[in-house]
Amino acid sequence: MVKPIHVLSGPNLNLLGTREPEIYGKDTLDDVRARCEARAASRGVSVVFRQSNHEGVLIDWVQEARESASALVLNPAGYGHTSIALLDALKTLSIPVIECHLSNPAAREEFRRHTYVSLAATGIVSGFGAASYELAIEAALGLIRV
Ligand SMILES: O=C(O)[C@@H]1C=C(O)[C@@H](O)[C@H](O)C1
């Protein structure tokens, strides 16, 4: 039995759909959840989908993924640009880590062009709105060979 793919979203993503929709789109986080679940279920894999505004909670969930997940999809949001602690947690994982962003941070403000998460990521999907999460799920499914 393949373990679930864990999908974690960072701060302010609970406001998706109303938060700067010209940048992050009109899909809500629940819409994103549904798309991730459907995409994974089509290959017989479940998803654990969670969001937090709190750095330590996200770190706890990354640590939980060590034993509970087959792969981790992470949109670190603003903490990607600041959190060495989140990077340190990611470096304890031996499962695939796919970093994803709704926007294309490389095309935005200078401070968004670097994330610490990228130092621990297997790969990165950016710029496709809610589809970034689905593409990240597809990448995870390919890496866990289901
Ligand atoms: O595009 C995204 O999903 C990321 C989401 C955020 O909240 C920003 O802080 C990042 O810079 C970009």
Side-chain angles (χ1 to χ4, degrees), residues 11-13 19 23-24 75-79 81 100-105 108 111-112 133:
N12 303 301
L13 292 173
R19 172 202 175 198
I23 296 173
Y24 299 109
N75 181 345
Y79 289 142
H81 310 300
C100 82
H101 302 279
L102 296 145
S103 69
N104 178 9
R108 299 178 63 192
F111 66 82
R112 296 189 196 273
Y133 280 80

Side-chain angles (χ1 to χ4, degrees), residues 23-79:
I23 296 173
Y24 299 109
K26 295 189 170 67
D27 287 301
T28 66
L29 197 60
D30 274 343
D31 294 331
V32 174
R33 175 200 303 270
R35 290 170 66 164
C36 289
E37 289 173 346
R39 184 70 66 136
S42 71
R43 305 266 276 285
V45 179
S46 61
V47 166
V48 173
F49 189 97
R50 296 188 281 203
Q51 182 277 334
S52 180
N53 295 326
H54 307 284
E55 187 176 0
V57 171
L58 291 165
I59 287 167
D60 288 345
W61 288 343
V62 168
Q63 292 182 0
E64 180 186 324
R66 293 182 75 199
E67 303 300 330
S68 306
S70 58
L72 176 67
V73 172
L74 171 65
N75 181 345
Y79 289 142

Side-chain angles (χ1 to χ4, degrees), residues 1-5 39-47 70-71 96 136-146:
M1 181 72 174
V2 176
K3 294 176 183 178
I5 296 172
R39 184 70 66 136
S42 71
R43 305 266 276 285
V45 179
S46 61
V47 166
S70 58
I137 292 280
E138 279 297 336
L141 290 165
L143 290 165
I144 61 179
R145 301 188 188 290
V146 288

